[in-house]
């Protein structure tokens, strides 16, 4: 993983990662504390801050990622361009841009806030729970993805019709449709009516 100012403070001097902390929030998204990442996802789940990114190419196609098979949570499933958790005190916008580069090797040419959504999605495969207050972002990508193999197994650009076909046959993350539906007004504004979102 590339070392950035945001990640440098979360790595120890011997190169091993410290426990990753998430921001716990109340129902209004106000920070109320922190919790270790895995413990926040164990049933029944603790409400924490997260983000989801949806990037589109010049043709209005959505960049999907298939999560790496080695991930402890939702491995091998397809999902939106990038999602994750800000570090405590890190702005969601900064976290979204940071993780998009770390996971996919691209920086959005445009990134805009698209609202928030709160959900509770248990993951049937792992038993973990996504209890999240999620900040949504939409944007444009003009460079070819160069994914980190430890994070991303595969990427694909899809039109709405291609997404519907893929969603019918492949496994997607438990939260995917919730975050996509919440982001749709901003997606339509970004991509225009001809893209069909």
């Amino acid at each position: 993983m590339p070392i950035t100012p945001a990640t440098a403070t979360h790595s120890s001097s011997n190169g091993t990662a410290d426990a990753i902390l998430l921001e716990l929030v109340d129902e209004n998204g106000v920070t109320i504390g922190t919790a270790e990442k895995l413990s926040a996802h164990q049933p029944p789940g603790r409400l924490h801050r997260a983000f989801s990114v949806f990037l589109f190419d010049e043709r209005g196609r959505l960049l999907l990622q298939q999560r790496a098979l080695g991930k402890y949570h939702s491995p091998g499933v397809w999902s939106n361009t990038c999602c994750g958790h800000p570090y405590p005190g890190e702005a969601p916008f900064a976290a979204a841009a940071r993780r998009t580069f770390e996971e996919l090797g691209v920086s959005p040419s445009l990134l805009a806030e698209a609202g928030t959504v709160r959900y509770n999605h248990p993951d049937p495969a792992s038993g973990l729970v996504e209890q999240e207050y999620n900040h949504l972002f939409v944007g444009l990508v003009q460079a070819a993805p160069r994914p980190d193999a430890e994070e991303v197994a595969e990427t694909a650009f899809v039109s709405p019709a291609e997404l519907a076909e893929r969603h019918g046959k492949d496994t997607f993350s438990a939260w995917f449709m919730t975050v996509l539906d919440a982001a749709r007004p901003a997606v339509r504004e970004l991509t225009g009516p001809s893209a069909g979102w």
Side-chain angles (χ1 to χ4, degrees):
M1 173 174 75
I3 299 295
T4 66
T7 57
T9 58
H10 297 273
S11 299
S12 64
S13 59
N14 65 4
T16 60
D18 293 333
I20 296 174
L21 296 178
L22 307 185
E23 258 185 17
L24 300 179
V25 299
D26 66 14
E27 293 292 337
N28 298 310
V30 176
T31 302
I32 58 171
T34 61
E36 191 277 324
K37 183 177 179 181
L38 184 57
S39 72
H41 288 87
Q42 289 171 336
R46 299 176 74 187
L47 184 60
H48 58 274
R49 194 176 309 284
F51 64 83
S52 289
V53 178
F54 297 85
L55 295 183
F56 296 82
D57 68 6
E58 71 284 351
R59 293 168 50 190
R61 298 179 304 167
L62 172 61
L63 174 58
L64 297 177
Q65 70 154 275
Q66 183 183 29
R67 293 166 62 87
L69 293 174
K71 292 181 86 73
Y72 77 91
H73 186 3
S74 302
V77 303
W78 286 90
S79 200
N80 49 293
T81 308
C82 180
C83 53
H85 310 93
Y87 292 125
E90 182 182 23
F93 185 94
R98 172 179 59 79
R99 284 303 292 164
T100 299
F101 182 78
E102 289 172 355
E103 290 187 10
L104 294 160
V106 293
S107 295
S109 57
L110 171 75
L111 191 63
E113 294 183 7
T116 59
V117 62
R118 194 264 195 246
Y119 53 79
N120 178 357
H121 285 302
D123 174 40
S126 68
L128 299 174
V129 178
E130 288 291 4
Q131 184 89 251
E132 294 187 330
Y133 187 94
N134 196 307
H135 297 257
L136 307 171
F137 298 93
V138 299
L140 300 173
V141 62
Q142 294 176 309
R146 298 183 321 271
D148 177 347
E150 290 187 13
E151 298 286 346
V152 180
E154 193 177 337
T155 62
F157 283 97
V158 295
S159 68
E162 290 165 338
L163 174 60
E165 180 183 345
R166 188 180 288 263
H167 196 262
K169 64 183 173 94
D170 293 332
T171 304
F172 276 71
S173 63
W175 61 87
F176 176 73
M177 287 310 299
T178 300
V179 293
L180 176 59
D181 287 344
R184 275 187 201 275
V187 168
R188 290 181 183 128
E189 187 175 341
L190 176 74
T191 59
S194 62
W197 291 102

